[in-house]
Amino acid sequence: MNRILLASAFLLATISAAFADGIPSAVPAAVGPVPAAVSPVPAAISPAPKAPAPKLVEPHLHIARSNLAGHARIALTFDACMGQADERILSTLVGERIPATIFVTARWLKRNPAAVAVFLQNPDLFELENHGQNHIPAVDAPTLIYGIASAGSPQAVRQEVEGGAAAMVAAGIPAPHWFRGSTAKYDLSAIGEIRAMGYRIAGYSVNGDGGSLLGAVITEKRIASAKDGDVVISHINQPTHAAGEGVAKALVDLKAKGTEFVRLEDVEDMGDDKTTE
């Protein structure tokens, strides 16, 4: 009996060893490199190169000089971008009978019907021109200017210009002939497009209020320093900013000096970057 049991045990051990030798490993050995087409980790993709930023210009504009000692000729221009009318400036212009060119946006027109009425009631003082529909920089390639996104395409530039003009006519204002875009910066192709629409583009030669961000004293000094033939840019839409006080004082200073104030439509002008040619 014992012999039979020993023989059976021996036979089972032999069979188990044979099966163990024939079963493959649970983790097979590598059989060669993985083809690139089925690689589990894709190769790094190089980012597309960024389009170069458009070259921007900030055109200058001068008017014909009087060439008379003590009788400088200056064109005052004011941007009405958004916000409310600055009554400090508006009342000084009206009270002192000082002519000026006002560049208005469609957005400002909607919010300031009372000021628009004052402009229209004084056609001998105020020339109203186009500052655009939504105060978007007139640059036909995507970029940021002072944190403001540009129009970004020729079609968007056209819409900014045409939308501003349409709003002016709807408000009872004569069709504009001048355009000044938000930030007063452009690329050369956009300048060509705007000129082809029949507009002269208004640069400037004296930045009076630094975008209405300067203090009253420095604003007054900047504007009061304007010389014969200068075109001054300031803002008439920030009644809570100190700059408006300086603008109003400078206007009185200039008038006391015998300055001749003119609107852009009244005199010959000379703009660079083909903005008025």
Side-chain angles (χ1 to χ4, degrees):
M1 184 66 178
N2 291 334
R3 289 180 180 179
I4 294 173
L5 290 174
L6 290 172
S8 298
F10 177 79
L11 179 61
L12 288 171
T14 303
I15 294 172
S16 299
F19 271 102
D21 289 340
I23 297 175
S25 171
V27 182
V31 294
V34 178
V38 295
S39 175
V41 181
I45 300 175
S46 300
K50 290 184 178 179
K55 180 181 178 180
L56 303 180
V57 295
E58 191 168 356
H60 294 91
L61 179 67
H62 289 84
I63 58 171
R65 299 175 180 176
S66 72
N67 291 319
L68 298 174
H71 189 76
R73 178 184 292 154
I74 293 171
L76 297 172
T77 69
F78 292 92
D79 288 357
C81 312
M82 294 168 281
Q84 302 294 328
D86 191 332
E87 291 294 336
R88 297 169 297 182
I89 299 172
L90 182 55
S91 62
T92 300
L93 291 171
V94 174
E96 298 290 337
R97 308 309 293 170
I98 296 176
T101 302
I102 315 294
F103 287 86
V104 297
T105 67
R107 297 173 67 176
W108 189 88
L109 288 175
K110 291 179 181 179
R111 297 188 61 178
N112 296 274
V116 174
V118 173
F119 291 148
L120 295 178
Q121 290 163 5
N122 293 274
D124 58 321
L125 293 182
F126 300 114
E127 171 191 0
L128 300 180
E129 297 292 351
N130 188 358
H131 196 33
Q133 181 176 21
N134 291 308
H135 201 246
I136 296 173
V139 174
D140 61 12
T143 191
L144 288 176
I145 307 173
Y146 305 132
I148 305 174
S150 66
S153 71
Q155 295 78 12
V157 169
R158 176 173 288 273
Q159 179 58 45
E160 175 71 0
V161 177
E162 291 182 342
M168 294 177 68
V169 172
I173 301 169
H177 302 288
W178 285 87
F179 177 80
R180 175 182 285 156
S182 167
T183 73
K185 292 181 182 289
Y186 315 83
D187 55 347
L188 295 179
S189 54
I191 287 176
E193 292 154 14
I194 297 166
R195 292 286 290 126
M197 295 171 66
Y199 286 90
R200 302 172 81 77
I201 297 175
Y204 61 90
S205 58
V206 175
N207 186 339
D209 62 1
S212 192
L213 298 177
L214 298 177
V217 173
I218 189 171
T219 296
E220 180 182 2
K221 288 181 178 179
R222 280 195 179 194
I223 297 176
S225 69
K227 297 178 175 58
D228 195 16
D230 272 334
V231 175
V232 180
I233 181 176
S234 298
H235 292 75
I236 196 170
N237 66 301
Q238 295 290 357
T240 63
H241 290 193
E245 178 185 347
V247 172
K249 289 182 178 179
L251 300 182
V252 176
D253 294 344
L254 287 170
K255 184 178 180 181
K257 293 178 181 179
T259 300
E260 175 190 1
F261 299 101
V262 296
R263 302 170 300 183
L264 293 182
E265 66 182 355
D266 296 330
V267 289
E268 295 182 359
D269 54 74
M270 299 145 284
D272 57 14
D273 296 310
K274 298 183 178 180
T275 51
T276 63
E277 291 179 4

